[in-house]
Amino acid sequence: GGVVVSVQASAVEDPIIVAIDGPAGAGKSTVGRAVAGRLGLEYLDTGAMYRAVTFAALRRGLDPADENDIAELSESVVMSLDPTPDGTAVHVDGVDATIEIRGREVTSAVSAVAANSRVRAELVRRQRRWVAEHHGGVVEGRDIGSVVFPDATLKLYVTASARVRAERRVAEIGGREHAARGQAAGRERAREEA
């Protein structure tokens, strides 16, 4: 089984918004990219936005639980999420954070950032602006269909067993950290050889 989705774009005047929700590790990103590809729409991983704010906070030495500092940061941080063949490239204040936002340090701190109501309000504003600028899209993340886009054209809730979700999260964190360590080791060897 693959994903089978069909929406009659010509019969719809409003932008097509597909909202994908579900618990961490359920496969929302995999389904989201597949649906976006099938429908020819842009894809937005909103979880990466919360991770980008967390990455920015940690780089600045801010406490992720400091509501005011993190809220102010969320309003000023420059982030870009750009599609790549392998997923989404994430840049935070001009720094490529694609690997780091999925690492243990950000993962352990992101829930405090995501619980901040002012951060959520700012990122919801940015998510709605993204959809307006892209004339619709596939948007994946928590509360997307209930809070951010309650009138979405299509709402999908993706789930998986607790075991599968745990395995996916461990593979994601471990795999990305392993890749980052390998890249860092390669840079270190190159410096030593130079």
Side-chain angles (χ1 to χ4, degrees):
V3 175
V4 178
V5 177
S6 178
V7 175
Q8 293 287 332
S10 60
V12 181
E13 290 182 20
D14 293 329
I16 295 172
I17 302 170
V18 178
I20 301 179
D21 199 343
K28 295 184 301 288
S29 297
T30 302
V31 170
R33 282 191 292 275
V35 170
R38 173 83 170 133
L39 296 178
L41 297 172
E42 297 289 326
Y43 166 76
L44 178 63
D45 173 0
T46 64
M49 297 175 81
Y50 288 94
R51 289 173 173 277
V53 172
T54 306
F55 173 82
L58 295 172
R59 269 183 63 95
R60 288 169 173 77
L62 299 177
D63 177 358
D66 185 317
E67 289 191 12
N68 279 333
D69 283 352
I70 302 304
E72 289 173 12
L73 172 64
S74 74
E75 295 164 2
S76 65
V77 68
V78 177
M79 69 176 87
S80 66
L81 288 78
D82 304 302
T84 69
D86 301 326
T88 302
V90 179
H91 288 83
V92 180
D93 292 327
V95 174
D96 184 349
T98 305
I99 294 172
E100 289 86 348
I101 67 163
R102 304 290 178 187
R104 291 181 200 272
E105 187 178 17
V106 169
T107 297
S108 66
V110 70
S111 59
V113 171
N116 186 320
S117 62
R118 285 177 52 201
V119 170
R120 292 189 74 78
E122 172 60 19
L123 294 187
V124 164
R125 185 187 67 73
R126 290 186 187 212
Q127 292 157 16
R128 289 177 176 155
R129 184 177 69 210
W130 183 92
V131 164
E133 290 170 355
H134 290 84
H135 306 289
V138 175
V139 186
E140 169 261 305
R142 298 279 184 78
D143 301 327
I144 290 300
S146 58
V147 175
V148 185
F149 296 107
D151 297 323
T153 311
L154 176 65
K155 297 179 187 182
L156 302 174
Y157 188 86
V158 179
T159 191
S161 71
R163 179 180 175 178
V164 168
R165 290 185 322 205
E167 288 171 354
R168 288 176 63 95
R169 294 315 261 173
V170 167
E172 179 178 85
I173 294 168
R176 291 185 192 263
E177 284 196 350
H178 178 72
R181 281 193 296 272
Q183 288 175 356
R187 285 192 301 268
E188 185 65 28
R189 278 193 304 275
R191 275 194 294 270
E192 289 171 1
E193 291 171 4

